[in-house]
């Protein structure tokens, strides 16, 4: 059964049950009150009759009083303690059949509703002391047929009203089911269209409703937007990755083929070919490692944190990097932000207190990898000394790598974090391709997030670029 049909059925049945329960309650409460009211009236009339008969001693006087107090449609009689009640019994003109009912003596007051034949009666029995000192019952029986007819009319009215109300309820519940199902049906059709065409589509949102269904539609559109963006990025990633991997493989294959054809005849090609193959193999290995790391969910990266003194850590990393690439890396402590003008002394001569306080908890291996990526980028795109600035600002420490290269255009600052994005080769120090795959900054940004920090980039064309690692202080 479809959800809309379930809503239609369940809401109709629920409302019908509630309506029937409400009308049944109304009927029984009203009928009980009316019956009690009628019996109460009969009891009051019987008490008046009993007060008058209590003092009557003559049989003729008793009969006259009984004729005066007999109910309009009923019977009045006196019943002795031995159960005899035939001597003093009076009925109204239309209720002579009541005289055939046997007399029963009750020692206590009694009020009840009786069914005699097919008719309903109210019955009241009052024990009183007669003039001769004996205890007798003054019993009155009155017809309640008029009340029963009124209650029957009430049942008919409630039934008719219930039937009349259920018709629009069934119709409205069907409309309600369709209204509630419309956004879900639209969503289902949209998803089927996406599956059939392979193209992403969004729901057409009409109106300004802010209910849960409208929220679900907006969330669906947001999800489709994220999926579309992710799909486009994935396609671009696969395309770029295949292109980037194809280049070194082609070079390796070409030089290997050259060696195979002419290596024996031309030994001078051996060194050139081996160097080219080795260089491309190293590049291919680094690119593959970066791709594998980027393909791993960041939550799967196991960061093993420990206390790290940032200044000795930065000096050691800078020294290692400088020896490998024969580039000068100047380590500085600064009292202001990494991109601001302010007092800065090499090796902390004027900042001994700051030097002692630059400690945080982080993963040293991941932080070293992140710092080496930034230093390597600075090496590729500048030819002067590289500055590594350390300091604190607010509740955070920073490590800023600054080069004096040409810089990055403002409209490309955010793009450089995209995978496989590379700026123009004119930014390199020699005007040629640096050989990078465009994965370094993308990986660096992910590493910074994994460490609980942030990576920012600032650049001024003609002056240089500053990449800053922000880390939480202990």
């Amino acid at each position: 059964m479809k959800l809309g049909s379930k809503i239609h059925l369940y809401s109709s049945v629920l409302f019908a049950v509630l309506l029937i329960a409400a009308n049944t309650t109304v009927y029984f409460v009203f009928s009980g009150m009316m019956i009690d009211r009628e019996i109460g009236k009969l009891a009051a009339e019987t008490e008046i009759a009993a007060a008058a008969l209590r003092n009557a001693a003559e049989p003729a006087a008793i009969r006259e009083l009984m004729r005066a107090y007999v109910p309009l449609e009923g019977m009045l009689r006196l019943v002795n303690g031995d159960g005899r009640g035939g001597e003093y019994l009076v009925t109204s003109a239309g209720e002579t059949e009541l005289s055939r009912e046997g007399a029963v003596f009750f020692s206590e007051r009694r009020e009840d509703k009786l069914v005699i034949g097919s008719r309903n009666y109210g019955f009241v029995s009052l024990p009183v002391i007669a003039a001769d000192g004996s205890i007798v019952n003054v019993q009155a029986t009155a017809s309640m047929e008029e009340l029963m007819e009124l209650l029957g009319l009430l049942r008919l009215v409630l039934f008719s009203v219930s039937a009349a109300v259920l018709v629009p309820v069934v119709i409205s519940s069907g409309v309600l089911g369709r209204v509630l199902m419309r956004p879900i049906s639209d969503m289902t059709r949209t998803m089927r269209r996406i599956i059939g065409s392979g193209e992403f589509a969004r729901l057409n949102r009409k109106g300004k409703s802010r209910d849960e269904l409208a929220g679900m539609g907006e969330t669906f559109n947001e999800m489709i937007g994220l999926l579309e963006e992710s799909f486009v990025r994935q396609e671009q990633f696969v395309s770029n990755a295949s292109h980037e991997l194809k280049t070194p493989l082609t070079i390796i294959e070409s030089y290997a083929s050259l060696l195979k054809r002419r290596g024996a005849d031309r030994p001078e090609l051996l060194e050139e070919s081996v160097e080219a193959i080795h260089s491309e193999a190293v590049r291919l290995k680094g690119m593959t490692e970066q791709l594998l790391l980027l393909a791993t969910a960041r939550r799967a990266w196991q960061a093993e944190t420990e206390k790290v003194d940032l200044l000795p850590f930065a000096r050691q990393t800078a020294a290692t990097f400088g020896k490998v690439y024969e580039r000068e890396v100047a380590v500085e402590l600064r009292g202001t932000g990494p991109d601001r003008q302010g007092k800065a002394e090499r090796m902390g001569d004027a900042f001994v207190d700051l030097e002692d306080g630059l400690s945080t908890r982080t993963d040293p291996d991941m932080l070293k990898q992140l710092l080496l990526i930034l230093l390597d980028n600075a090496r590729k795109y500048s030819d002067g000394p590289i500055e590594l600035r350390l300091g604190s600002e607010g509740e955070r420490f920073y490590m800023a790598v600054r080069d004096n290269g040409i810089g990055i255009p403002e409209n490309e600052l955010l793009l450089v974090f995209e995978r496989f994005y590379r700026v123009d080769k004119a930014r390199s120090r020699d005007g040629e391709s640096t050989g990078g795959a465009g994965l370094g900054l993308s990986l660096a940004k992910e590493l910074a997030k994994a460490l609980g920090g942030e990576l920012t980039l600032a650049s001024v064309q003609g002056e240089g670029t500053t990449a800053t690692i922000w880390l939480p202080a202990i």
Side-chain angles (χ1 to χ4, degrees), residues 231-304:
F231 182 78
V232 171
R233 289 167 63 90
Q234 180 181 354
E235 282 189 329
Q236 183 181 6
F237 177 82
V238 172
S239 175
N240 293 336
S242 61
H243 178 270
E244 295 292 339
L245 291 173
K246 183 178 179 180
T247 301
L249 289 175
T250 302
I251 294 174
I252 292 173
E253 181 185 11
S254 298
Y255 274 100
S257 299
L258 181 63
L259 284 175
K260 185 177 180 180
R261 293 194 312 270
R262 301 180 182 179
D265 300 332
R266 300 180 61 182
E268 69 274 9
L269 294 177
L270 178 62
E271 184 177 354
E272 177 186 351
S273 299
V274 170
E275 180 64 28
I277 291 174
H278 178 266
S279 175
E280 292 302 318
V282 170
R283 179 187 172 200
L284 185 61
K285 177 184 177 183
M287 188 189 311
T288 304
E289 289 176 348
Q290 290 182 334
L291 285 173
L292 291 174
L293 189 57
L294 285 171
T296 305
R298 191 166 65 248
R299 60 177 177 273
W301 296 1
Q302 300 296 326
E304 299 180 359

Side-chain angles (χ1 to χ4, degrees), residues 108-163:
E108 298 178 350
R109 182 187 179 105
R110 186 179 180 88
E111 298 178 3
D112 204 354
K113 175 179 171 292
L114 303 176
V115 178
I116 300 176
S118 61
R119 296 170 61 85
N120 295 275
Y121 294 90
F123 174 76
V124 177
S125 176
L126 300 177
V128 298
I129 301 175
D132 58 1
S134 62
I135 298 177
V136 298
N137 284 165
V138 178
Q139 297 180 351
T141 305
S143 174
M144 299 178 66
E145 286 302 302
E146 183 177 352
L147 176 59
M148 292 299 108
E149 291 177 2
L150 178 62
L151 294 178
L153 180 61
L154 176 62
R155 287 195 300 271
L156 179 61
V157 169
L158 292 176
F159 178 80
S160 302
V161 170
S162 299

